[in-house]
Coordinates of all heavy atoms in Angstrom, one line a residue:
L1 N -26.1 -120.6 -195.5 CA -25.8 -119.2 -195.7 C -24.6 -119.0 -196.6 O -23.8 -119.9 -196.7 CB -25.4 -118.6 -194.3 CG -26.5 -118.6 -193.2 CD1 -25.9 -118.0 -191.9 CD2 -27.7 -117.7 -193.6
P2 N -24.5 -117.8 -197.2 CA -23.3 -117.4 -197.9 C -22.1 -117.5 -197.0 O -22.3 -117.3 -195.8 CB -23.6 -116.0 -198.4 CG -25.0 -115.9 -198.4 CD -25.6 -116.7 -197.2
E3 N -20.9 -117.7 -197.5 CA -19.8 -117.9 -196.6 C -19.5 -116.7 -195.7 O -19.2 -116.9 -194.5 CB -18.5 -118.2 -197.4 CG -17.3 -118.6 -196.6 CD -16.2 -119.2 -197.4 OE1 -16.2 -119.1 -198.6 OE2 -15.2 -119.6 -196.8
H4 N -19.7 -115.5 -196.2 CA -19.4 -114.4 -195.3 C -20.4 -114.2 -194.1 O -20.0 -113.9 -193.1 CB -19.4 -113.1 -196.1 CG -20.8 -112.6 -196.6 ND1 -21.4 -113.2 -197.7 CD2 -21.6 -111.7 -196.1 CE1 -22.6 -112.6 -197.9 NE2 -22.7 -111.7 -196.9
Q5 N -21.6 -114.7 -194.3 CA -22.6 -114.7 -193.2 C -22.3 -115.8 -192.3 O -22.4 -115.7 -191.1 CB -24.0 -114.8 -193.8 CG -24.5 -113.5 -194.4 CD -26.0 -113.7 -194.9 OE1 -26.2 -113.9 -196.1 NE2 -26.8 -113.6 -193.9
F6 N -22.0 -117.0 -192.9 CA -21.6 -118.1 -192.0 C -20.4 -117.8 -191.2 O -20.4 -118.2 -190.0 CB -21.3 -119.3 -193.0 CG -21.0 -120.6 -192.2 CD1 -22.0 -121.5 -191.9 CD2 -19.7 -120.9 -191.8 CE1 -21.6 -122.7 -191.2 CE2 -19.3 -122.0 -191.1 CZ -20.3 -123.0 -190.8
K7 N -19.4 -117.2 -191.7 CA -18.2 -116.8 -191.0 C -18.5 -115.9 -189.8 O -18.0 -116.1 -188.7 CB -17.2 -116.1 -191.9 CG -15.9 -115.8 -191.3 CD -15.0 -115.1 -192.2 CE -14.7 -115.9 -193.5 NZ -13.7 -115.3 -194.4
F8 N -19.4 -115.0 -189.9 CA -19.8 -114.1 -188.9 C -20.5 -114.8 -187.8 O -20.2 -114.6 -186.6 CB -20.7 -113.0 -189.4 CG -21.2 -112.0 -188.4 CD1 -20.5 -110.9 -187.9 CD2 -22.5 -112.2 -187.8 CE1 -21.0 -110.1 -186.9 CE2 -23.0 -111.4 -186.9 CZ -22.2 -110.3 -186.4
E9 N -21.5 -115.7 -188.1 CA -22.3 -116.4 -187.2 C -21.4 -117.4 -186.4 O -21.6 -117.7 -185.2 CB -23.5 -117.0 -187.8 CG -24.5 -116.0 -188.3 CD -25.1 -115.2 -187.1 OE1 -25.3 -115.7 -186.0 OE2 -25.4 -114.0 -187.3
F10 N -20.5 -118.1 -187.2 CA -19.7 -119.1 -186.6 C -18.8 -118.4 -185.5 O -18.6 -119.0 -184.4 CB -18.8 -119.7 -187.6 CG -18.0 -120.9 -187.1 CD1 -18.6 -122.2 -187.1 CD2 -16.7 -120.8 -186.6 CE1 -17.9 -123.3 -186.6 CE2 -16.0 -121.9 -186.2 CZ -16.6 -123.1 -186.2
Y11 N -18.2 -117.3 -185.8 CA -17.4 -116.5 -184.9 C -18.2 -116.2 -183.6 O -17.7 -116.4 -182.4 CB -16.8 -115.3 -185.4 CG -15.9 -114.5 -184.5 CD1 -14.5 -114.7 -184.6 CD2 -16.4 -113.6 -183.7 CE1 -13.7 -114.0 -183.7 CE2 -15.6 -112.9 -182.8 CZ -14.2 -113.1 -182.8 OH -13.4 -112.4 -182.0
R12 N -19.4 -115.8 -183.8 CA -20.3 -115.4 -182.7 C -20.5 -116.6 -181.7 O -20.4 -116.4 -180.5 CB -21.6 -114.9 -183.2 CG -22.6 -114.4 -182.1 CD -23.9 -114.0 -182.6 NE -24.6 -115.0 -183.3 CZ -25.4 -115.9 -182.7 NH1 -25.6 -115.8 -181.4 NH2 -26.1 -116.8 -183.4
L13 N -20.8 -117.7 -182.3 CA -21.0 -118.9 -181.5 C -19.8 -119.5 -180.9 O -19.7 -120.0 -179.8 CB -21.8 -119.9 -182.3 CG -23.2 -119.7 -182.6 CD1 -23.8 -120.7 -183.6 CD2 -24.1 -119.6 -181.3
F14 N -18.7 -119.6 -181.7 CA -17.5 -120.3 -181.3 C -16.7 -119.5 -180.3 O -16.2 -120.0 -179.3 CB -16.7 -120.7 -182.4 CG -15.6 -121.7 -182.2 CD1 -15.9 -123.1 -182.1 CD2 -14.3 -121.3 -181.9 CE1 -14.9 -124.0 -181.8 CE2 -13.3 -122.2 -181.6 CZ -13.6 -123.6 -181.5
V15 N -16.5 -118.2 -180.6 CA -15.7 -117.4 -179.7 C -16.5 -116.7 -178.6 O -16.0 -116.5 -177.5 CB -14.9 -116.3 -180.5 CG1 -14.1 -115.4 -179.7 CG2 -14.0 -117.0 -181.6
N16 N -17.7 -116.2 -178.9 CA -18.5 -115.5 -178.0 C -19.7 -116.3 -177.5 O -20.7 -115.7 -177.0 CB -19.0 -114.2 -178.6 CG -17.8 -113.3 -178.9 OD1 -16.8 -113.2 -178.3 ND2 -17.9 -112.5 -180.0
G17 N -19.6 -117.6 -177.5 CA -20.7 -118.4 -177.1 C -21.1 -118.2 -175.6 O -22.3 -118.5 -175.3
R18 N -20.2 -117.8 -174.8 CA -20.6 -117.6 -173.4 C -21.6 -116.5 -173.2 O -22.2 -116.5 -172.1 CB -19.3 -117.3 -172.5 CG -18.4 -118.5 -172.4 CD -17.1 -118.1 -171.6 NE -17.4 -117.7 -170.3 CZ -17.5 -118.5 -169.2 NH1 -17.3 -119.8 -169.4 NH2 -17.7 -118.1 -168.0
S19 N -21.8 -115.7 -174.2 CA -22.8 -114.6 -174.1 C -24.2 -115.2 -174.0 O -25.1 -114.5 -173.6 CB -22.7 -113.7 -175.2 OG -22.9 -114.3 -176.5
L20 N -24.3 -116.5 -174.4 CA -25.6 -117.1 -174.4 C -26.0 -117.7 -172.9 O -27.1 -118.1 -172.7 CB -25.7 -118.3 -175.3 CG -25.5 -117.9 -176.8 CD1 -25.5 -119.2 -177.7 CD2 -26.6 -117.0 -177.3
R21 N -25.0 -117.6 -172.1 CA -25.3 -118.1 -170.7 C -26.2 -117.1 -170.0 O -26.1 -115.9 -170.2 CB -24.0 -118.2 -169.9 CG -23.0 -119.2 -170.4 CD -21.6 -119.0 -170.0 NE -21.5 -119.0 -168.5 CZ -21.0 -120.0 -167.8 NH1 -20.5 -121.0 -168.4 NH2 -20.8 -119.9 -166.5
D22 N -27.2 -117.6 -169.2 CA -28.1 -116.7 -168.5 C -27.5 -116.2 -167.2 O -26.5 -116.7 -166.7 CB -29.5 -117.4 -168.3 CG -29.4 -118.6 -167.4 OD1 -28.5 -118.8 -166.6 OD2 -30.3 -119.4 -167.6
D23 N -28.2 -115.3 -166.6 CA -27.7 -114.7 -165.3 C -27.6 -115.7 -164.2 O -26.7 -115.6 -163.4 CB -28.7 -113.5 -164.9 CG -28.7 -112.3 -165.9 OD1 -27.7 -112.2 -166.6 OD2 -29.6 -111.5 -165.9
N24 N -28.5 -116.7 -164.2 CA -28.5 -117.7 -163.2 C -27.2 -118.5 -163.2 O -26.5 -118.8 -162.2 CB -29.7 -118.6 -163.3 CG -29.8 -119.7 -162.2 OD1 -29.4 -119.4 -161.1 ND2 -30.3 -120.8 -162.5
L25 N -26.9 -119.0 -164.4 CA -25.6 -119.8 -164.6 C -24.4 -118.9 -164.3 O -23.5 -119.4 -163.6 CB -25.5 -120.3 -166.0 CG -24.3 -121.1 -166.3 CD1 -24.1 -122.3 -165.4 CD2 -24.3 -121.6 -167.8
N26 N -24.4 -117.7 -164.7 CA -23.3 -116.8 -164.3 C -23.1 -116.6 -162.8 O -22.0 -116.6 -162.3 CB -23.4 -115.4 -165.1 CG -23.2 -115.5 -166.5 OD1 -22.5 -116.4 -167.0 ND2 -23.9 -114.6 -167.3
A27 N -24.2 -116.4 -162.2 CA -24.2 -116.2 -160.7 C -23.7 -117.5 -160.0 O -22.9 -117.4 -159.0 CB -25.6 -115.9 -160.2
I28 N -24.2 -118.7 -160.4 CA -23.7 -119.9 -159.9 C -22.2 -120.2 -160.1 O -21.5 -120.5 -159.2 CB -24.5 -121.1 -160.4 CG1 -26.0 -121.1 -160.0 CG2 -23.9 -122.4 -160.0 CD1 -26.9 -122.1 -160.6
T29 N -21.8 -119.8 -161.3 CA -20.4 -119.9 -161.6 C -19.5 -119.0 -160.7 O -18.5 -119.5 -160.2 CB -20.1 -119.7 -163.1 OG1 -20.9 -120.6 -163.9 CG2 -18.6 -119.8 -163.4
K30 N -20.0 -117.8 -160.6 CA -19.3 -116.9 -159.7 C -19.2 -117.4 -158.3 O -18.1 -117.3 -157.6 CB -19.9 -115.5 -159.8 CG -19.2 -114.5 -158.9 CD -20.0 -113.1 -159.0 CE -19.2 -112.0 -158.2 NZ -20.0 -110.7 -158.3
N31 N -20.3 -117.9 -157.8 CA -20.4 -118.4 -156.4 C -19.4 -119.6 -156.2 O -18.6 -119.6 -155.3 CB -21.8 -118.9 -156.1 CG -21.9 -119.6 -154.8 OD1 -21.8 -119.0 -153.7 ND2 -21.9 -121.0 -154.8
N32 N -19.4 -120.5 -157.2 CA -18.6 -121.7 -157.1 C -17.1 -121.4 -157.1 O -16.3 -122.0 -156.5 CB -19.0 -122.7 -158.2 CG -20.3 -123.4 -157.9 OD1 -20.9 -123.2 -156.8 ND2 -20.9 -124.0 -158.9
N33 N -16.8 -120.4 -158.0 CA -15.4 -119.9 -158.0 C -14.9 -119.3 -156.7 O -13.8 -119.5 -156.2 CB -15.2 -118.9 -159.1 CG -15.2 -119.5 -160.5 OD1 -15.0 -120.7 -160.7 ND2 -15.4 -118.7 -161.5
Q34 N -15.9 -118.6 -156.1 CA -15.5 -118.0 -154.8 C -15.4 -119.1 -153.7 O -14.5 -119.0 -152.8 CB -16.6 -117.0 -154.4 CG -16.7 -115.8 -155.2 CD -17.9 -114.9 -155.0 OE1 -18.9 -115.3 -154.4 NE2 -17.8 -113.6 -155.3
V35 N -16.2 -120.1 -153.8 CA -16.1 -121.2 -152.8 C -14.8 -122.0 -153.0 O -14.1 -122.3 -152.0 CB -17.3 -122.2 -153.0 CG1 -17.1 -123.5 -152.1 CG2 -18.6 -121.6 -152.7
F36 N -14.4 -122.2 -154.2 CA -13.1 -122.9 -154.5 C -12.0 -122.0 -154.0 O -11.0 -122.5 -153.4 CB -12.9 -123.1 -156.0 CG -11.6 -123.7 -156.3 CD1 -11.3 -125.0 -156.1 CD2 -10.6 -122.8 -156.8 CE1 -10.0 -125.5 -156.4 CE2 -9.3 -123.3 -157.1 CZ -9.0 -124.6 -156.9
A37 N -12.1 -120.7 -154.2 CA -11.0 -119.8 -153.7 C -10.9 -119.9 -152.2 O -9.8 -120.0 -151.7 CB -11.4 -118.4 -154.1
R38 N -12.0 -119.9 -151.5 CA -11.9 -120.1 -150.0 C -11.3 -121.4 -149.6 O -10.5 -121.4 -148.6 CB -13.3 -119.9 -149.4 CG -13.9 -118.5 -149.5 CD -15.1 -118.4 -148.6 NE -16.3 -119.1 -149.0 CZ -17.2 -118.7 -149.8 NH1 -17.1 -117.4 -150.3 NH2 -18.2 -119.4 -150.2
I39 N -11.7 -122.4 -150.3 CA -11.1 -123.8 -149.9 C -9.6 -123.8 -150.2 O -8.9 -124.3 -149.4 CB -11.9 -124.9 -150.8 CG1 -13.3 -125.0 -150.3 CG2 -11.1 -126.2 -150.6 CD1 -14.1 -125.9 -151.2
F40 N -9.2 -123.3 -151.3 CA -7.8 -123.4 -151.7 C -7.0 -122.5 -150.8 O -5.9 -122.9 -150.4 CB -7.6 -122.9 -153.2 CG -6.2 -123.3 -153.7 CD1 -6.0 -124.6 -154.2 CD2 -5.2 -122.4 -153.7 CE1 -4.8 -124.9 -154.7 CE2 -3.9 -122.8 -154.2 CZ -3.7 -124.0 -154.7
V41 N -7.5 -121.3 -150.4 CA -6.8 -120.5 -149.5 C -6.7 -121.1 -148.1 O -5.6 -121.1 -147.5 CB -7.5 -119.1 -149.3 CG1 -6.9 -118.3 -148.1 CG2 -7.3 -118.3 -150.6
Y42 N -7.7 -121.8 -147.7 CA -7.7 -122.6 -146.4 C -6.6 -123.6 -146.4 O -5.8 -123.7 -145.5 CB -9.0 -123.2 -146.1 CG -8.9 -124.3 -145.0 CD1 -8.8 -123.8 -143.7 CD2 -8.9 -125.6 -145.3 CE1 -8.6 -124.8 -142.7 CE2 -8.8 -126.6 -144.3 CZ -8.6 -126.2 -143.0 OH -8.5 -127.1 -142.0
M43 N -6.5 -124.3 -147.5 CA -5.5 -125.4 -147.6 C -4.1 -124.8 -147.7 O -3.2 -125.3 -147.0 CB -5.7 -126.3 -148.9 CG -6.9 -127.3 -148.7 SD -6.5 -128.5 -147.4 CE -4.9 -129.1 -147.8
A44 N -3.9 -123.7 -148.4 CA -2.6 -123.1 -148.5 C -2.1 -122.6 -147.1 O -1.0 -122.6 -146.8 CB -2.6 -122.0 -149.5
T45 N -3.0 -122.0 -146.4 CA -2.7 -121.4 -145.1 C -2.6 -122.4 -144.0 O -2.0 -122.1 -142.9 CB -3.7 -120.3 -144.7 OG1 -5.1 -120.8 -144.8 CG2 -3.6 -119.1 -145.7
S46 N -3.3 -123.6 -144.1 CA -3.3 -124.6 -143.1 C -2.2 -125.7 -143.4 O -2.1 -126.7 -142.6 CB -4.7 -125.2 -142.9 OG -5.0 -126.0 -144.0

């Protein structure tokens, strides 16, 4: 690609690459973060 087009696409992939994640992966990530939060809070309070 010409450099100006390459620059645009590179930014999209490098900076905004997480937009390619599907709903399933996003849901799993959210769940796992919540699980970790519960575990860490348990440890801090106990």
Side-chain angles (χ1 to χ4, degrees):
L1 296 176
E3 186 170 8
H4 69 280
Q5 287 183 258
F6 181 92
K7 184 182 298 186
F8 176 83
E9 291 298 326
F10 188 87
Y11 182 93
R12 179 180 66 83
L13 286 173
F14 193 82
V15 176
N16 297 325
R18 289 177 64 87
S19 64
L20 298 178
R21 295 159 59 104
D22 62 23
D23 292 341
N24 183 35
L25 178 55
N26 289 333
I28 292 174
T29 301
K30 181 178 180 180
N31 171 79
N32 290 348
N33 285 345
Q34 292 172 340
V35 173
F36 173 79
R38 289 195 292 271
I39 291 173
F40 195 85
V41 169
Y42 165 74
M43 281 301 307
T45 54
S46 70

